[in-house]
Structure formats: structure tokens, C-alpha cells
Amino acid sequence: MIFSASAHPENTSVEQIESLRDWWSLAGVDLHYNDEPASLLVDTAPAHKPPAPQPVRIAAPTESKPDFVNEAPSPHNISEDFPAKHNDYIAWLSNSENLIEAQWSQNHVLPSGVIKPEIMIIVGMPEQGGLAEDSLFSSKSQALLANMLKAIGCDSERTYLASISLGRSFDGRLASEHHDIFKKRIIHHIGLVQPKKIIIFGDTPSNLFFNQNLLTARKNKQFVNHKSSKTDAIATFHPRILLERPEFKAEAWKDLQLLTRIESI
């Protein structure tokens, strides 16, 4: 692609060149930094002295803010008095004033699925490719997830999908300073959903639940404690990673088999 056009001969006349030189001179482009440039709006005749500089007036800050600024809550103002019923809790999540992630994202994906599912799937945050479709997963990841569940005898009608953060951060990570409030929220959420088992995808949820990175957490069966109960869980690779690195699929299959050995589905 050509970004500049060739000059026509008629555009290089002596008069136009001289005019450009005069303009540059008036603009002060050819002056040394110690010279005093002339203003295009001031009479530059030698008989007149240049106008005295006017003092700079700094306007006082106003309370008005741009329309696109999201009024996000401060972490200290986030309520931990979570609703005790699932439907009320989902309604609570749909209000951005209750969400710490509203500080960095205006696109939120609410959890979905059946209550008391065979498997509750938890990810750190929505995939970038799924946000436009109001989904935690891109279409390719969703298809792979369906195959993974089918391989262990489960289908989407018996699952529940949730994320720790309803919105996606700029770098795809959750700052450790927010882990505590996110953990309290997701633990409460698990207690309301009451799943039989949990699959945790990715490094962030592994650190949040087990204080271990994914590669360490996936070596053993895990437990997620909520209220007075605990639920069997495994940690494994996110479908997006399996699409990018197919060689990890065999390892993910081992993780899923660990889940089926916990209790036959």
C-alpha cells in the first residue's frame, strides 16, 4: 500500500516554495532555541515590542467526569454480606457496584448452569474470545470442553460454569491483593451451587484455592472447603492452553481420569 502520492510539477513552483519558506519562518521552525520566535497572530513589525507574556491561569478541578469512566467500587466498600439464595446471589452479581472487577472491566459474564450439578467448572476469568458472546469460553474452547466432559460421561446439561472474576483484566491476571475477596465470593458461590465435583482450569484458580501453581496442584486430588462441607476437585489445563499446546492433552486426560476415580459418574 502506498501512503504518499507523488508531487505534481505544477505544485513545485517558485512562488509556492517561497510561500512555504515564509510560513516556516513565521512559525519559528528555523530559529535556534535561544531565539525568540514570532507569533503568527501578532504584528511582527520592528517598531512594535512583542507583547508581555500573560500569567498562566490554572483552572480549578471540577467534579465532572467523562461519560466512559466506570464508577467502580473501592475494595474497602465491597460488601461481603452475600445473598443466601442462589437467584438472589446472581442478581447481586449482576450489579457492578458489588464487583471489585468493575475497576478494570465493564463486560461481565454471569455464571450459568444447573444447581447441584455433576461438575462445576471454575476458571479465573472469561476468555477474550468469549466476551462478545457473553460466554466464559471462546467457541473453540467451548467445543473442546464439551468433548472433555463427554469423555468422562458428563454433558453440559449437568454442569455449572463460573469464573472467579466476572470480567477480564488487561493482562489476564488477578492481582494477589484481591485474592481474599474473590476467594470468599467463589467459596460462597460453590456452597449455593452444591456441585458433586469441581474442575478448576488454570493457574490463577489453583493458586487461589490451593496456594499451589497449576503444575503442582494437578498432581493430586484436591478438596474445596465451603461452609461445613468439602467437595472433591481437580486442577487441569484450560481448554485454550490445550488448543495452543495439543501435546498437553494427554496430561489433561490423566487429570480427568483422576476425577472419574474419585467417584464413578
Side-chain angles (χ1 to χ4, degrees):
M1 179 179 291
I2 299 175
F3 292 95
S4 60
S6 299
H8 295 290
E10 60 270 19
N11 291 335
T12 59
S13 65
V14 174
E15 292 82 358
Q16 288 182 333
I17 293 174
E18 291 299 327
S19 176
L20 286 173
R21 286 176 176 172
D22 291 342
W23 190 93
W24 276 51
S25 178
L26 285 173
V29 174
D30 58 345
L31 294 178
H32 189 273
Y33 71 93
N34 284 329
D35 293 333
E36 189 169 337
S39 171
L40 292 175
L41 302 180
V42 177
D43 186 358
T44 57
H48 294 81
K49 294 182 179 180
Q54 297 297 318
V56 178
R57 300 180 63 184
I58 301 176
T62 63
E63 294 298 326
S64 61
K65 298 180 180 179
D67 294 337
F68 58 81
V69 173
N70 187 30
E71 295 295 338
S74 165
H76 303 290
N77 296 331
I78 297 293
S79 172
E80 296 181 9
D81 185 19
F82 308 123
K85 294 183 178 180
H86 181 265
N87 288 342
D88 294 337
Y89 180 69
I90 298 302
W92 184 88
L93 287 176
S94 66
N95 185 351
S96 62
E97 293 182 357
N98 298 321
L99 305 178
I100 190 171
E101 55 265 50
Q103 295 181 77
W104 58 78
S105 172
Q106 297 182 20
N107 297 326
H108 303 149
V109 179
L110 290 171
S112 62
V114 297
I115 303 300
K116 297 183 179 180
E118 290 290 339
I119 295 177
M120 181 176 183
I121 294 169
I122 300 176
V123 297
M125 62 186 65
E127 269 191 85
Q128 184 66 44
L131 285 174
E133 300 178 2
D134 195 31
S135 172
L136 294 179
F137 299 92
S138 67
S139 57
K140 291 183 178 180
S141 293
Q142 184 70 50
L144 178 56
L145 174 61
N147 289 336
M148 293 170 69
L149 293 172
K150 184 178 180 180
I152 57 175
C154 188
D155 57 54
S156 58
E157 295 180 357
R158 293 188 291 161
T159 60
Y160 189 97
L161 306 180
S163 58
I164 294 171
S165 169
L166 272 60
R168 185 168 184 81
S169 64
F170 299 110
D171 59 359
R173 300 179 182 181
L174 295 179
S176 58
E177 64 207 61
H178 301 316
H179 281 194
D180 183 59
I181 189 168
F182 275 124
K183 185 172 183 178
K184 290 178 181 178
R185 200 174 77 183
I186 193 65
I187 290 296
H188 178 79
H189 196 172
I190 294 170
L192 297 179
V193 174
Q194 302 179 55
K196 292 182 179 179
K197 302 177 185 70
I198 298 174
I199 297 178
I200 291 173
F201 284 134
D203 202 54
T204 296
S206 296
N207 277 300
L208 193 79
F209 283 107
F210 315 124
N211 293 318
Q212 297 175 334
N213 61 40
L214 173 61
L215 296 181
T216 301
R218 59 176 293 269
K219 292 179 180 178
N220 301 295
K221 181 180 72 172
Q222 301 284 354
F223 300 97
V224 175
N225 295 308
H226 53 94
K227 294 186 178 180
S228 58
S229 304
K230 66 179 181 180
T231 301
D232 298 319
I234 63 163
T236 191
F237 300 100
H238 193 287
R240 176 181 58 81
I241 298 299
L242 298 180
L243 290 170
E244 295 174 356
R245 303 289 298 276
E247 64 270 24
F248 289 165
K249 288 183 178 180
E251 295 300 314
W253 172 238
K254 293 178 183 179
D255 300 336
L256 294 175
Q257 287 179 311
L258 179 61
L259 184 69
T260 60
R261 289 196 296 269
I262 294 174
E263 180 184 344
S264 178
I265 295 181

